[in-house]
Amino acid sequence: MNFSECFKLSGQLCKFSPDGKCLASGVQYRLVVRSTETLQILQLFTCLDQIQHIEWSSDSLFILCAMYKRGVVQVWSLEQPDWHCKIDEGSAGLVASCWSPDGRHILNTTEFHLRITVWSLCTKSVSYIKYPKACQQGIAFTKDGRYMALAERRDCKDYISLFVCSDWQLLRHFDTETQDIAGIEWAPNGCVLAVWDTCLEYKILLYSLDGRLLSTYRAYEWSLGVKSVSWSPSSQFLAIGSYDEKVRILNHVTWKKIAEFEHPVTVASPRIVAYKETEKSPAVEMDKLLFPPSKSVASSLFSTKSKYEIAQLPVSLHHVKPAVDRANPRIGVGMLAFSSDNCFLATRNDNIPNTVWIWDMQKMKLFVVLEQLCAVQLFQWDPCRSRLAICTANSRVYLWSSAGCVSVQIPMEGDFQVVSLCWHSNGDSMALISKENFCVCYLEREAEEVK
Amino acid sequence: MGDWNAIAVPGQLPDNNIPWYTSAKKMSPSSLSVHVLSSPQPLSKSVHSFSSAFCTEENVEQSLSYLNTELTTLGFPSLYADSKGKELYVVSVLNCMNELLQLQRKHLRAQEEAETQHLKLSSDMDHLQNCYTKLKEQLETSRRETVGLQERDRQLQCKNRNLHQLLKNEKDEVQKLQNVVASRATQYNHDMKRKEREYNRLKERFHQLLMNKKDKKIVMDVLNYVGRVDGKRGGWRTGKTEARNEEEMYKVLLNEYEQRQKQLLVENAELKKLLQQMKKEIISLLPPQKQKPRERAEDGSGTVNVLSDVEDDSGEVNKENVWELSCDTVREQLANSIRKQWRMLKNHVEKLDNQVLHVHSETLNSNNTISREEHEMEVERLQLEIQQCKEMIKTQQQLLQQQLTSPSDDDTSLLLKDCYLLEEKERLKEEWKLFKEQKRNFEKERKSFTEAAIRLGLERKAFEEDRGTWLKQQFLNMTSEPNKFEYVKHRSAFSGSSDSDNPLTNFRSHQKKCSDLSNVSTFSDICQTTQHDLANSSSTLLDKTPAVRKSSQVKKEQLRKIHHSGPGPVAQDDTYSLHMWLPSNSCTEHLDNLP
């Protein structure tokens, strides 16, 4: 495993281009585009203000930089560096900006979710979509980029509008039997839309592309409900994480629950492998110490090594007691992700923050438990293999595959706390992002293939 | 004897003694009699003291007449020969005495019996009282327990009631809370709606303002418009595009469904294949089994089978078609046939299971019945056999090899073989001879053994006869001797009893002479029991007894003196016996009397 040198960064803005050739990062008001191969700077763009959001267009030709404070979006072209485009939302304000799937339209959400403005880069046309709903996940595009679903709120009722992305024509408009939509998500095949209600009520609605209600699922009543939702890449399963610390798996034929994964504090089943991260200070060899210690020796002295040990079952996991009287309690399954080959599901139960649970989707059983020393910030599956990268806001990155797991110390001087990471689209490298820096980690593909 | 006397407590005197007292009180002229009465002594003693002090040289006549009147009043014959009372009629006196004594004895016995009865009864009484108290206690405790249990029951009921109440309260509370929650929810929803409406109004207004203002700032500043990804120009929005969009959407959906259908078809085909395979396998597994159900079914539900047969046949004919048919038409057939076959298979498996179980149990049983030793023996035998077989095989192999190694020259081999055979024959002959000789020897030995055995048998017979005669003699001797032996035994027992200094036995022997046997036996029993009881009851008296015994000898002599001096015409033996069984009383009295 190799690491690049460390680059400056602000606002955790670091994105690989969809074609995998470039890496864009934002430093204050500058946008830096590097080659992923050499990490040489290809382009440098200067924006009007501090960049708050960057996004690649689907064809990797344009980059969008949003400056919400100013209500301005700037678009840059990689092919024509002197091409420029600036969209000013003026007094309407700006809270969100994104590309349409075709990479020629920009959707800007104004303040107070007053409307969504669709700006086209091809024509002068501007479209407005009124009544967008202010919610966790209100816009969803199908994977093929043909359709967009939008949650709306009119007259205190929830509606879903389906648009054809090619010409922004309204395809379907229907109301949903929800109190207050929290999010919508298309199935990867683009034919089923999952809609979940606010956390006050456990309710999942499944709509077909033509607006028919396929099914409704309610696991229980009277208690806080859905916290996170994720489709499997094959569209076969819908995993629903909820505040009762369980994940429920619905199937795509009957839309009934086929499995329920609990996240208990103690793991006792003997078939589970529990990896526990342990920390060790290296033994100091006294006679090898020099008085003005060299920098590397000094850093190695104070860094502790961590490794995984297989814990004896039953293992009791570190957990925090959530404050029950507070809003948005830290309890329940808040993070869910299927591996790219549909074989595994990784979850995190927010009141057991140090633990990642990996479930075998073929056996519908818990497979591995990884207990970290720090709270898990993020995990992401390799887009090509069933390999999971985890970061826990320290200077290590953790990788799990069914063969085992490793903890890798990032060889950076100074404090490099990985708070986020993103995989390259081919799964050979990933960007490790701290608050002010980022580096690229290259994984040895050859070695793996030799194995 | 002393022990025995200790029972004669004055309070327990029989009633029929009272007249004696009263009469004595009334009639006795002497002052001594007063003393006698004043002292709380039993009758026997008083009699004794009476005899010692009642009559003196001077008042013989008086006492005689007194006695006479007394006796006549009691219904005895007169002591005098004539009615005037001049001459003492000794025979009558003696008779009276005897009768009196007998009466006395009878009374004493009765008294004894009464006393023992009394003791028994009192002990019974005690026992019963104990029982009574115990039972009372039990009753009390059980009553208390009942009360306690009742109390507990009451408490539990109380608690239960309380809990019920609590439950009810809780339920009410829950209901109330639910109501509160519901009302809050409605309130919240209502408020939310109100707020949202307000918010919407504001948004609307804001939107209006934005639109009206024609905000110059809301603008896109582009260097030049870029081409579309597909390189086409965007079309106008018309009904056509709408229709096209719809069409495309349905196409997408259709594609999806088609794909899914294909998947399902593939899955279905695979399942069908599996089913077919299973069916085939079942059929191939079942042919012998199939006969039986058919035969069975012929009686009852033959039609079904016939039908199924028909189905089977049709299935055979156009199986492919059948499998390709949609499920709707074939489903029933298929399900039926599968079910039938499954049932058969199940039966078969069950039967097999049963058989296996049976066999297993049988083997187990047989294993159980065959003893370990037998088993081991069998194993040993088998091993031996195996060994033998192995040897045989080895020799055969050797022979074969020999044959194989020298098959080149047939003649020589034959010759050699012949030679070998001859040699072997010779050897065998010799062996045979040896065997025969041995056999002869064995025969001889056997003969000698049998002879010896016969001899031994004869000797044994003689010995038996001898023994019989000896035994007979012995027996005869024995039969003559036992009588003597018994006799001796008797005598020794007798002498032993006579030798012993025990006064009780003495007394017994006397008793035997005096009264009938049955009475004695009972009396002695009682005596023993009373003795026993006394020993238990009064430890003080027991402590006394050795002293009493010591004094008894002194007493005897004194008594003899008295009797000798006494003028009574009473037979000495009887009086002696009488004294003998009341020594302690007399002794105490004497002690009292003597200074």
Side-chain angles (χ1 to χ4, degrees), chain A residues 4-75:
Chain A
S4 73
E5 59 177 308
C6 183
F7 303 105
K8 274 236 172 265
L9 179 85
S10 65
Q12 298 177 31
L13 297 172
C14 179
K15 296 242 164 105
F16 284 105
S17 66
D19 61 4
K21 283 177 185 158
C22 303
L23 175 65
S25 59
V27 187
Q28 304 299 337
Y29 52 88
R30 274 195 298 271
L31 175 71
V32 185
V33 181
R34 294 167 199 275
S35 151
T36 43
E37 298 283 312
T38 58
L39 292 177
Q40 300 253 304
I41 295 175
L42 296 177
Q43 295 291 342
L44 194 85
F45 302 104
T46 310
C47 295
L48 293 167
D49 203 348
Q50 180 156 1
I51 303 165
Q52 282 175 287
H53 176 69
I54 59 173
E55 194 173 325
W56 285 92
S57 68
S58 57
D59 52 6
S60 307
L61 293 177
F62 300 97
I63 310 171
L64 166 162
C65 299
M67 288 140 274
Y68 297 136
K69 271 186 220 158
R70 268 188 174 237
V72 172
V73 172
Q74 280 189 295
V75 188

Side-chain angles (χ1 to χ4, degrees), chain A residues 284-296:
Chain A
V284 179
E285 289 165 84
M286 295 304 278
D287 48 345
K288 283 189 183 172
L289 285 180
L290 302 166
F291 170 56
S294 69
K295 223 174 179 183
S296 64

